[in-house]
């Protein structure tokens, strides 16, 4: 029976196991088994989102693709989401289809970015989106499935098929799922979405076209300068003149940094100043073209020109002297991060 | 329903979307480049300019070009702005586009 308003083609399959194999045969998975997307389940997801099946959530004009609420819901079911995740996923799709995000370019590129989803606000705790231990790892349904749903949408709706319109040389694990919450409870600083201009009590997603996280290991430092020196050193392996970069401070490092009275602004300013290399060094490692010339050893090029372009978040497990640097695709120049309000069904 | 033991049939929905077909036709092919102005659209990738210039020289060996004009889009990952494409179409009769990585 065709449920009301659904327009997607239907396929009769056998058991759930046979359905799982059917999806593999059609090439509709990310390599992992998916949940069969029945009309009844899809309707449940649409109802939770307060959307009609043909509501347009986003478009990728370069690819001639329109993403309807129905297709979001179908792929969300397949990913293993719960219906209550839909408002988050809707906001995510709205965000990645903003022109500034450049989904077409970032999803096709050999540089191989994935879409990092950061959730802020009350919904993170309500849905149980992990902001702590094993932040980028497995074990948390909303993290695993919201990020996965977006990837399935990219593949099935936007044509980002590996080797076809996804030409990533390597890609990275975030292409399975790359969704986290910021640890707002632990952080003494303004949450990321508040920095972006949203009220604290609102829930917001921010999406980044992100490369793989780089872990910064620092067992020795217990002052802000000593800890952040290693973060700056890691940033200096990325490249110069980045338009945006993400840094995630772990609880253990945060304890020392904020314990010495440093604000988020202090952190950003320190990193902006210290994350640099000489022109000679950039040329030496072929991150900058041209031969080394007289004076290049003394000329410096910073990683990020404006401290405000360093996005500082708090997250990760309570133990472990590590933090994270996440470079963005194309230096954050060709794709800008986008924040969107998560609208709950009224 | 227990996975693997049920005999009921599921009906599942297609998660994919076909791209909207663009309404575009191929431009008429020129029989010769003699007297034609050649547009060279650089996509901002390294060596794009060098490759295009070399192609222009090689084509110049084979044809009496009416000239060549360089153009550049600022970002390799974003499609060329309509205004830029219109300018190329106004000023040139044929164009080479660098689309390599």
């Amino acid at each position: 029976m065709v449920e009301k308003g659904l327009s997607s083609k239907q396929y009769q399959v056998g058991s759930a196991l046979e359905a799982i194999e059917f999806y593999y045969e059609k090439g509709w998975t990310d390599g992992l088994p998916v949940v069969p997307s029945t009309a009844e389940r899809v309707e449940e997801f649409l109802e939770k989102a307060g959307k009609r099946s043909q509501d347009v959530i986003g478009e990728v004009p370069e690819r001639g693709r329109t993403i309807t609420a129905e297709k979001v819901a179908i792929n969300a079911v397949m990913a293993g989401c719960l219906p209550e995740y839909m408002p988050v996923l809707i906001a995510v799709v709205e965000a990645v289809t903003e022109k500034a995000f450049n989904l077409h370019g970032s999803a096709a590129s050999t540089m191989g970015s994935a879409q990092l989803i950061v959730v802020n606000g009350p919904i993170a705790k309500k849905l149980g989106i992990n902001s702590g231990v094993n932040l980028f790892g497995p074990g948390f349904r909303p993290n695993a499935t919201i990020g996965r749903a977006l990837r399935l949408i990219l593949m099935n709706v936007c044509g980002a098929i590996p080797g076809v319109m996804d030409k990533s040389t390597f890609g990275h694990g975030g292409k399975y799922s790359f969704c986290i919450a910021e640890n707002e409870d632990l952080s003494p600083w303004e949450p990321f979405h508040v920095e972006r201009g949203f009220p604290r009590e609102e829930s917001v997603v921010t999406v980044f076209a992100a490369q793989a996280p780089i872990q910064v290991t620092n067992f020795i430092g217990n002052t802000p300068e000593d800890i952040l020196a290693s973060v700056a050193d890691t940033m200096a392996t990325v490249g110069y003149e980045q338009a945006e970069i993400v840094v995630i401070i772990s609880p253990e490092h945060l304890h020392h940094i904020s314990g010495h009275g440093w604000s988020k602004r202090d952190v950003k300013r320190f990193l902006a100043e210290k994350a640099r290399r000489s022109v000679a060094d950039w040329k030496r490692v072929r991150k900058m073209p041209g031969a080394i010339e007289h004076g290049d050893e003394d000329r410096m090029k910073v990683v990020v020109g404006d401290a405000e372009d360093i996005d500082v978040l708090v997250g990760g497990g309570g133990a472990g002297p590590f933090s994270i640097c996440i470079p963005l695709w194309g230096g954050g120049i060709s794709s800008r991060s986008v924040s969107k309000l998560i609208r709950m069904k009224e | 329903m227990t996975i693997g033991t049920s005999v009921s049939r599921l009906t599942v929905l297609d998660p994919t979307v076909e791209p909207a077909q663009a309404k575009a036709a191929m431009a008429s092919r020129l029989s010769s480049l003699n007297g034609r102005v050649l547009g060279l659209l650089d996509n901002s990738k390294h060596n794009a300019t060098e490759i295009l210039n070399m192609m222009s020289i090689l084509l110049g060996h084979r044809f009496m070009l009416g000239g060549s004009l360089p153009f550049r889009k600022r970002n390799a990952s974003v499609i060329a702005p309509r205004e830029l494409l219109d300018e190329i179409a106004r000023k040139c009769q044929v164009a080479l586009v660098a689309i390599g990585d």
Side-chain angles (χ1 to χ4, degrees):
Chain A
M1 182 184 81
V2 176
E3 299 296 322
K4 52 183 185 297
L6 298 179
S7 65
S8 297
K9 188 174 177 183
Q10 299 176 75
Y11 294 89
Q12 293 276 325
V13 295
S15 65
L17 273 179
E18 287 170 339
I20 289 169
E21 289 305 318
F22 171 75
Y23 282 103
Y24 274 117
E25 287 163 18
K26 295 297 260 183
W28 292 344
T29 84
D30 51 6
L32 295 167
V34 294
V35 176
S37 53
T38 61
E40 185 183 32
R41 189 69 168 153
V42 170
E43 278 289 340
E44 206 180 329
F45 275 53
L46 288 171
E47 199 279 330
K48 207 69 176 183
K51 293 289 182 188
R52 295 166 302 184
S53 62
Q54 300 313 305
D55 285 345
V56 174
I57 308 303
E59 292 178 306
V60 189
E62 301 92 334
R63 301 184 180 203
R65 313 283 174 137
T66 298
I67 308 171
T68 61
E70 178 173 335
K71 293 300 181 183
V72 171
I74 292 171
N75 285 279
V77 170
M78 291 167 63
C81 288
L82 289 171
E84 47 263 44
Y85 301 168
M86 275 292 282
V88 178
L89 190 53
I90 295 285
V92 167
V93 174
E94 289 173 344
V96 299
T97 51
E98 284 280 331
K99 189 175 178 182
F101 188 80
N102 188 8
L103 181 63
H104 169 64
S106 62
S109 170
T110 51
M111 195 179 267
S113 67
Q115 296 72 35
L116 170 63
I117 300 165
V118 176
V119 182
N120 281 97
I123 203 167
K125 225 184 282 186
K126 185 178 174 192
L127 297 181
I129 304 175
N130 181 37
S131 64
V133 67
N134 218 358
L135 184 63
F136 294 109
F140 303 89
R141 185 173 185 172
N143 299 61
T145 59
I146 292 171
R148 191 187 184 207
L150 176 64
R151 293 303 308 177
L152 290 175
I153 289 166
L154 255 63
M155 290 174 65
N156 291 326
V157 183
C158 304
I161 309 293
V164 180
M165 271 209 281
D166 177 351
K167 294 292 198 178
S168 302
T169 306
F170 287 104
H172 63 83
K175 280 171 166 278
Y176 283 98
S177 180
F178 207 7
C179 176
I180 63 171
E182 183 180 21
N183 194 332
E184 296 178 31
D185 284 349
L186 190 70
S187 174
W189 302 323
E190 199 171 58
F192 185 65
H193 68 307
V194 175
E195 278 192 277
R196 285 273 166 123
F198 293 88
R200 184 181 286 262
E201 64 273 15
E202 294 285 4
S203 293
V204 172
V205 293
T206 305
V207 294
F208 306 82
Q211 298 187 58
I214 307 171
Q215 184 159 288
V216 179
T217 300
N218 188 327
F219 285 95
I220 297 171
N222 58 10
T223 65
E225 294 88 347
D226 283 355
I227 290 168
L228 294 173
S230 55
V231 177
D233 184 58
T234 297
M235 287 170 65
T237 64
V238 172
Y240 59 92
E241 291 177 355
Q242 305 290 294
E244 189 177 1
I245 201 164
V246 175
V247 169
I248 303 179
I249 304 292
S250 69
E252 193 165 315
H253 278 168
L254 178 70
H255 170 75
H256 296 295
I257 294 170
S258 66
H260 279 78
W262 278 42
S263 66
K264 192 187 288 196
R265 187 170 293 271
D266 294 329
V267 171
K268 293 184 183 207
R269 282 185 184 149
F270 182 91
L271 292 175
E273 184 192 333
K274 298 297 183 186
R276 58 174 60 194
R277 286 191 181 200
S278 68
V279 169
D281 272 349
W282 289 120
K283 287 181 177 177
R284 199 166 280 127
V285 298
R286 309 309 284 160
K287 292 255 185 183
M288 182 185 286
I292 296 172
E293 297 172 354
H294 177 69
D296 280 352
E297 297 287 356
D298 300 317
R299 273 189 286 271
M300 307 302 287
K301 271 246 189 240
V302 294
V303 173
V304 181
D306 186 340
E308 288 308 309
D309 289 331
I310 303 172
D311 300 321
V312 175
L313 286 72
V314 173
F322 312 102
S323 284
I324 288 284
C325 168
I326 304 179
L328 301 185
W329 174 74
I333 297 169
S334 306
S335 168
R336 303 312 310 254
S337 62
V338 175
S339 298
K340 280 282 182 185
L341 192 68
I342 299 171
R343 286 186 293 268
M344 307 305 294
K345 179 185 170 186
E346 292 168 10
Chain B
M1 182 181 74
T2 305
I3 292 175
T5 62
S6 170
V7 296
S8 61
R9 292 186 68 79
L10 290 173
T11 302
V12 296
L13 297 175
D14 189 327
T16 66
V17 163
E18 287 297 316
Q21 294 298 318
K23 294 182 179 61
M26 289 284 282
S28 324
R29 302 292 96 185
L30 298 172
S31 57
S32 166
L33 297 187
N34 289 336
R36 309 294 187 177
V37 176
L38 172 66
L40 303 167
L41 177 55
D42 179 330
N43 71 348
S44 303
K45 288 283 188 171
H46 292 302
N47 297 322
T49 300
E50 287 79 357
I51 290 172
L52 288 170
N53 286 343
M54 182 56 66
M55 288 298 299
S56 175
I57 291 169
L58 291 173
L59 285 170
H61 290 156
R62 291 179 63 184
F63 302 99
M64 295 290 292
L65 292 172
S68 64
L69 291 174
F71 300 90
R72 184 179 172 92
K73 64 170 190 171
R74 286 183 306 153
N75 191 322
S77 305
V78 177
I79 59 174
R82 171 50 54 185
E83 309 80 57
L84 176 60
L85 297 176
D86 288 345
E87 184 186 359
I88 296 172
R90 269 199 316 277
K91 296 179 178 176
C92 309
Q93 292 80 54
V94 65
L96 264 182
V97 180
I99 59 170
D101 198 14

